[in-house]
Amino acid sequence: MKKTKRIQRYSAPERINHWIVAFCFVFAAVSGLGFFFPSFNWLMGIFGTPQLARILHPFVGVVMFAAFLLMFLRYWKHNLINRDDILWAKNIHKIALNEEVGDTGRYNFGQKCVFWLAICSLLLLLASGIVIWRPYFADAFPIVVIRLALLAHSVAAVGLILVIMVHVYAALWVKGTITAMVEGWVPAAWAKKHHPRWYREIQRKQQEKQP
């Protein structure tokens, strides 16, 4: 497809940032499931030994949070809820039939929900993870607080896994979404159909740059 018919959706640094979060999530989720469910203990062996998985798990979690924080700072303005999002939510039955509703900006209401649920889950995971992190911080907290932190950490982890599952499913469902995060570009027709307001903003900016 000609470049004139393509629009850049994500720059190289943005894509690298995203995939760092993705790979860290896979490592943390797989090792975490191994810790939590006895029947999944074998998952810890994927990373060498259970001991190594336990050592690396919290460090990978911190890297994931830091990488997602960069994404949060970059995208939070695009994920604020507006009237078009309410219209989108009210017509979710049409969305399920692959119809577009409302004047969607860079992200639709579903993507915004994933964004905010992810950051909330990660904040809870970070806070609770620090409390239960041995041998560095756990000794500073009473056992009751540690137990509550373990519960919060587990609930937040399950919540984040579910959110990411929805995110992946939606990316596979809407053709062109994964390509955007791999190559950085989307067809102009795709942008106009799925994110019309964002498409117009890009077109306006390109026109302003022209002499």
Side-chain angles (χ1 to χ4, degrees):
M1 183 170 288
K2 297 180 180 179
K3 290 185 178 181
T4 54
K5 295 184 179 180
R6 298 194 304 173
I7 295 177
Q8 185 180 43
R9 186 155 173 82
Y10 297 109
S11 64
E14 288 176 310
R15 301 198 303 277
I16 292 171
N17 193 171
H18 173 273
W19 291 114
I20 288 175
V21 173
F23 285 119
C24 287
F25 168 78
V26 171
F27 181 97
V30 170
S31 57
L33 289 172
F35 303 151
F36 193 75
F37 296 102
S39 58
F40 287 163
N41 284 164
W42 59 273
L43 288 173
M44 292 184 286
I46 296 176
F47 306 103
T49 65
Q51 292 78 11
L52 182 60
R54 289 184 181 278
I55 292 172
L56 294 178
H57 178 88
F59 287 102
V60 171
V62 170
V63 173
M64 177 173 65
F65 179 85
F68 193 89
L69 183 60
L70 292 177
M71 293 175 63
F72 175 81
L73 295 174
R74 182 179 289 119
Y75 302 129
W76 71 270
K77 290 183 179 179
H78 299 289
N79 284 276
L80 297 176
I81 308 299
N82 55 44
R83 291 182 178 179
D84 289 307
D85 295 318
I86 305 302
L87 176 64
W88 192 96
K90 289 181 178 180
N91 290 274
I92 190 66
H93 58 287
K94 294 182 180 179
I95 303 298
L97 296 175
N98 205 27
E99 296 181 27
E100 293 300 328
V101 177
D103 193 23
T104 305
R106 180 162 185 168
Y107 299 109
N108 60 42
F109 182 67
Q111 293 170 313
K112 292 178 179 181
C113 288
V114 167
F115 178 85
W116 291 110
L117 287 172
I119 190 61
C120 290
S121 297
L122 284 168
L123 285 170
L124 186 55
L125 283 168
L126 179 68
S128 58
I130 290 175
V131 174
I132 62 178
W133 193 347
R134 295 184 183 277
Y136 301 105
F137 306 108
D139 291 339
F141 300 93
I143 189 64
V144 174
V145 174
I146 292 176
R147 288 173 177 172
L148 290 174
L150 280 167
L151 177 61
H153 200 77
S154 301
V155 171
V158 172
L160 182 60
I161 290 173
L162 292 175
V163 167
I164 298 303
M165 288 175 64
V166 172
H167 175 60
V168 173
Y169 176 78
L172 293 171
W173 181 38
V174 180
K175 186 178 180 180
T177 302
I178 294 180
T179 302
M181 190 51 71
V182 174
E183 300 180 0
W185 299 88
V186 294
W190 182 95
K192 188 175 183 179
K193 176 183 178 182
H194 297 290
H195 304 273
R197 179 154 48 85
W198 175 69
Y199 170 78
R200 294 196 305 272
E201 292 172 356
I202 295 298
Q203 293 296 105
R204 185 174 65 254
K205 290 180 180 179
Q206 290 179 346
Q207 291 176 357
E208 292 175 352
K209 290 181 180 180
Q210 293 179 356

Coordinates of all heavy atoms in Angstrom, one line a residue, residues 54-95:
R54 N 11.2 -16.9 41.4 CA 10.8 -16.1 42.6 C 11.7 -14.9 42.7 O 11.2 -13.8 43.1 CB 10.9 -17.0 43.8 CG 9.8 -18.1 43.9 CD 9.9 -18.8 45.3 NE 8.9 -19.8 45.4 CZ 7.6 -19.6 45.7 NH1 7.2 -18.4 46.0 NH2 6.7 -20.6 45.8
I55 N 12.9 -15.0 42.4 CA 13.8 -13.8 42.5 C 13.5 -12.8 41.4 O 13.4 -11.6 41.6 CB 15.3 -14.3 42.4 CG1 15.7 -15.1 43.6 CG2 16.2 -13.0 42.2 CD1 17.1 -15.7 43.4
L56 N 13.3 -13.3 40.2 CA 13.0 -12.4 39.0 C 11.7 -11.8 39.0 O 11.5 -10.7 38.5 CB 13.3 -13.1 37.7 CG 14.8 -13.6 37.5 CD1 14.8 -14.3 36.1 CD2 15.7 -12.4 37.5
H57 N 10.7 -12.5 39.5 CA 9.3 -12.1 39.4 C 9.0 -10.6 39.8 O 8.5 -9.8 39.1 CB 8.4 -13.0 40.2 CG 6.9 -12.7 40.2 ND1 6.0 -13.1 39.2 CD2 6.2 -11.9 41.0 CE1 4.8 -12.6 39.4 NE2 4.9 -11.9 40.6
P58 N 9.4 -10.3 41.0 CA 9.2 -8.9 41.5 C 10.0 -7.8 40.7 O 9.5 -6.7 40.4 CB 9.6 -8.9 42.9 CG 10.5 -10.0 43.1 CD 10.1 -11.1 42.1
F59 N 11.2 -8.2 40.3 CA 12.0 -7.2 39.5 C 11.3 -7.0 38.1 O 11.2 -5.8 37.6 CB 13.4 -7.7 39.3 CG 14.2 -7.6 40.6 CD1 14.5 -8.8 41.3 CD2 14.8 -6.4 41.0 CE1 15.2 -8.7 42.5 CE2 15.5 -6.3 42.1 CZ 15.7 -7.5 42.9
V60 N 10.8 -8.1 37.5 CA 10.2 -7.9 36.2 C 8.9 -7.1 36.4 O 8.5 -6.3 35.5 CB 9.8 -9.3 35.6 CG1 8.9 -9.2 34.4 CG2 11.1 -10.1 35.3
G61 N 8.2 -7.3 37.5 CA 7.0 -6.6 37.8 C 7.3 -5.1 37.9 O 6.5 -4.3 37.4
V62 N 8.4 -4.7 38.5 CA 8.7 -3.3 38.6 C 9.0 -2.7 37.2 O 8.6 -1.6 36.9 CB 9.9 -3.1 39.6 CG1 10.5 -1.7 39.5 CG2 9.5 -3.5 41.0
V63 N 9.7 -3.5 36.4 CA 10.0 -3.0 35.0 C 8.8 -2.8 34.3 O 8.6 -1.8 33.5 CB 11.0 -4.0 34.3 CG1 11.1 -3.6 32.9 CG2 12.3 -4.1 35.0
M64 N 7.8 -3.8 34.4 CA 6.5 -3.7 33.7 C 5.8 -2.4 34.1 O 5.2 -1.7 33.3 CB 5.7 -4.9 34.0 CG 4.3 -4.9 33.3 SD 3.4 -6.4 33.5 CE 3.2 -6.5 35.3
F65 N 5.8 -2.2 35.5 CA 5.1 -1.0 35.9 C 5.7 0.3 35.4 O 5.0 1.2 35.0 CB 5.1 -0.9 37.5 CG 4.4 0.3 38.0 CD1 3.0 0.3 38.2 CD2 5.1 1.4 38.4 CE1 2.4 1.4 38.7 CE2 4.5 2.5 38.9 CZ 3.1 2.5 39.1
A66 N 7.0 0.4 35.4 CA 7.8 1.6 34.9 C 7.5 1.8 33.5 O 7.3 2.9 33.0 CB 9.3 1.4 35.2
A67 N 7.5 0.7 32.7 CA 7.2 0.8 31.2 C 5.8 1.3 31.0 O 5.5 2.1 30.1 CB 7.5 -0.5 30.5
F68 N 4.8 0.7 31.8 CA 3.5 1.1 31.6 C 3.2 2.5 32.0 O 2.4 3.2 31.5 CB 2.5 0.2 32.3 CG 1.1 0.3 31.9 CD1 0.5 -0.4 30.9 CD2 0.2 1.3 32.6 CE1 -0.8 -0.2 30.5 CE2 -1.1 1.4 32.2 CZ -1.6 0.7 31.1
L69 N 4.0 3.0 33.0 CA 3.9 4.4 33.5 C 4.2 5.3 32.4 O 3.6 6.4 32.2 CB 4.8 4.6 34.7 CG 4.7 6.0 35.3 CD1 3.3 6.3 35.8 CD2 5.7 6.1 36.5
L70 N 5.2 5.0 31.6 CA 5.6 5.8 30.4 C 4.4 5.8 29.4 O 4.1 6.9 28.9 CB 6.8 5.2 29.7 CG 8.2 5.3 30.5 CD1 9.3 4.6 29.7 CD2 8.5 6.8 30.8
M71 N 3.8 4.7 29.2 CA 2.6 4.7 28.3 C 1.5 5.5 28.9 O 0.8 6.2 28.2 CB 2.1 3.2 28.2 CG 3.1 2.3 27.4 SD 2.6 0.6 27.4 CE 1.1 0.7 26.4
F72 N 1.3 5.4 30.2 CA 0.3 6.2 30.9 C 0.5 7.7 30.7 O -0.4 8.5 30.3 CB 0.2 5.9 32.4 CG -0.8 6.8 33.2 CD1 -2.1 6.5 33.2 CD2 -0.3 7.9 33.8 CE1 -3.0 7.2 33.9 CE2 -1.2 8.7 34.5 CZ -2.6 8.4 34.5
L73 N 1.7 8.2 30.9 CA 2.0 9.6 30.7 C 1.8 10.0 29.3 O 1.5 11.2 29.0 CB 3.5 9.9 31.2 CG 3.7 9.6 32.7 CD1 5.2 9.8 33.0 CD2 2.9 10.6 33.5
R74 N 2.0 9.1 28.3 CA 1.9 9.4 26.9 C 0.5 9.4 26.4 O 0.1 10.3 25.6 CB 2.8 8.4 26.1 CG 2.8 8.7 24.6 CD 3.6 7.7 23.9 NE 5.0 7.9 24.1 CZ 5.8 7.0 24.7 NH1 5.3 5.8 25.1 NH2 7.1 7.2 24.9
Y75 N -0.3 8.6 27.0 CA -1.7 8.4 26.4 C -2.8 8.8 27.3 O -4.0 8.7 26.9 CB -1.9 6.9 26.1 CG -0.9 6.3 25.1 CD1 -0.2 5.1 25.4 CD2 -0.6 6.9 23.9 CE1 0.7 4.6 24.5 CE2 0.3 6.4 23.0 CZ 1.0 5.2 23.3 OH 1.9 4.7 22.5
W76 N -2.6 9.2 28.5 CA -3.8 9.4 29.4 C -4.8 10.4 28.9 O -6.0 10.3 29.1 CB -3.3 9.8 30.8 CG -2.7 11.2 30.9 CD1 -1.4 11.6 30.8 CD2 -3.4 12.4 31.2 NE1 -1.3 12.9 31.0 CE2 -2.5 13.5 31.3 CE3 -4.8 12.7 31.5 CZ2 -2.9 14.8 31.5 CZ3 -5.1 14.0 31.8 CH2 -4.2 15.0 31.8
K77 N -4.3 11.5 28.2 CA -5.2 12.5 27.7 C -6.1 11.9 26.6 O -7.2 12.4 26.4 CB -4.3 13.7 27.1 CG -3.6 14.5 28.1 CD -2.9 15.7 27.5 CE -2.2 16.5 28.6 NZ -1.5 17.7 28.0
H78 N -5.6 10.9 25.8 CA -6.4 10.3 24.8 C -7.4 9.3 25.4 O -8.3 8.9 24.6 CB -5.5 9.5 23.8 CG -4.5 10.4 23.1 ND1 -4.8 11.3 22.2 CD2 -3.1 10.5 23.3 CE1 -3.7 11.9 21.7 NE2 -2.7 11.5 22.4
N79 N -7.3 9.0 26.7 CA -8.2 8.0 27.3 C -9.2 8.6 28.2 O -9.8 7.9 29.0 CB -7.3 7.0 28.0 CG -6.7 6.0 27.0 OD1 -7.3 5.0 26.6 ND2 -5.5 6.2 26.6
L80 N -9.4 9.9 28.2 CA -10.4 10.6 29.0 C -11.8 10.3 28.4 O -11.9 10.3 27.2 CB -10.1 12.1 29.1 CG -8.8 12.5 29.8 CD1 -8.6 14.0 29.7 CD2 -8.8 12.1 31.2
I81 N -12.7 10.0 29.3 CA -14.1 9.7 28.9 C -14.8 10.9 28.4 O -14.8 12.0 29.1 CB -14.9 9.0 30.0 CG1 -14.0 7.8 30.6 CG2 -16.2 8.5 29.5 CD1 -13.7 6.7 29.6
N82 N -15.5 10.8 27.3 CA -16.3 11.9 26.8 C -17.7 11.4 26.3 O -18.0 10.3 26.5 CB -15.6 12.6 25.6 CG -15.2 11.7 24.5 OD1 -16.0 10.8 24.1 ND2 -14.0 11.8 24.0
R83 N -18.5 12.3 25.8 CA -19.9 12.0 25.4 C -19.9 10.9 24.3 O -20.8 10.0 24.4 CB -20.6 13.2 24.9 CG -20.9 14.3 26.0 CD -21.7 15.4 25.4 NE -22.0 16.4 26.5 CZ -22.6 17.6 26.3 NH1 -23.0 17.9 25.0 NH2 -22.8 18.4 27.3
D84 N -19.0 10.9 23.4 CA -19.0 9.9 22.4 C -18.8 8.5 22.9 O -19.3 7.5 22.4 CB -17.9 10.2 21.3 CG -18.3 11.4 20.5 OD1 -19.4 11.4 19.9 OD2 -17.5 12.4 20.4
D85 N -18.0 8.4 24.1 CA -17.8 7.1 24.7 C -19.1 6.6 25.3 O -19.3 5.4 25.3 CB -16.7 7.3 25.8 CG -15.4 7.6 25.2 OD1 -15.0 7.1 24.2 OD2 -14.7 8.5 25.8
I86 N -19.9 7.5 25.9 CA -21.2 7.1 26.4 C -22.1 6.5 25.3 O -22.8 5.5 25.5 CB -21.9 8.3 27.1 CG1 -21.0 8.9 28.2 CG2 -23.2 7.8 27.7 CD1 -20.5 7.9 29.2
L87 N -22.1 7.2 24.2 CA -22.8 6.7 23.0 C -22.3 5.4 22.6 O -23.1 4.5 22.2 CB -22.7 7.7 21.9 CG -23.4 7.3 20.5 CD1 -24.9 7.2 20.7 CD2 -23.1 8.4 19.5
W88 N -21.0 5.2 22.6 CA -20.4 3.9 22.2 C -20.9 2.8 23.1 O -21.2 1.7 22.7 CB -18.9 4.1 22.2 CG -18.1 3.0 21.6 CD1 -17.6 2.9 20.4 CD2 -17.7 1.7 22.2 NE1 -16.9 1.8 20.2 CE2 -16.9 1.0 21.3 CE3 -17.9 1.2 23.5 CZ2 -16.4 -0.2 21.6 CZ3 -17.3 0.0 23.8 CH2 -16.6 -0.7 22.8
A89 N -20.8 3.1 24.4 CA -21.2 2.1 25.4 C -22.7 1.7 25.3 O -23.1 0.5 25.5 CB -20.9 2.6 26.8
K90 N -23.6 2.7 25.0 CA -25.0 2.4 24.9 C -25.3 1.6 23.7 O -26.3 0.9 23.6 CB -25.8 3.7 24.8 CG -25.8 4.5 26.1 CD -26.6 5.8 26.0 CE -26.7 6.5 27.3 NZ -27.5 7.8 27.2
N91 N -24.4 1.6 22.7 CA -24.6 0.8 21.5 C -23.6 -0.3 21.3 O -23.2 -0.7 20.2 CB -24.5 1.8 20.2 CG -25.6 2.8 20.1 OD1 -26.6 2.5 19.5 ND2 -25.4 3.9 20.7
I92 N -23.3 -0.9 22.5 CA -22.3 -2.0 22.5 C -22.8 -3.2 21.6 O -22.0 -3.9 21.1 CB -22.1 -2.5 23.9 CG1 -20.9 -3.5 24.0 CG2 -23.3 -3.1 24.6 CD1 -19.6 -2.8 23.6
H93 N -24.1 -3.4 21.5 CA -24.7 -4.5 20.7 C -24.3 -4.3 19.2 O -24.1 -5.2 18.5 CB -26.2 -4.6 20.9 CG -27.0 -3.3 20.5 ND1 -26.9 -2.2 21.4 CD2 -27.7 -3.0 19.5 CE1 -27.7 -1.2 20.8 NE2 -28.2 -1.7 19.7
K94 N -24.3 -3.0 18.8 CA -23.9 -2.7 17.4 C -22.4 -3.0 17.2 O -21.9 -3.4 16.2 CB -24.2 -1.3 17.0 CG -25.7 -1.0 17.0 CD -26.0 0.4 16.5 CE -27.5 0.7 16.5 NZ -27.8 2.1 16.1
I95 N -21.6 -2.6 18.3 CA -20.2 -2.8 18.2 C -19.9 -4.3 18.1 O -18.9 -4.7 17.4 CB -19.5 -2.3 19.5 CG1 -19.8 -0.8 19.7 CG2 -18.0 -2.5 19.4 CD1 -19.3 0.1 18.6

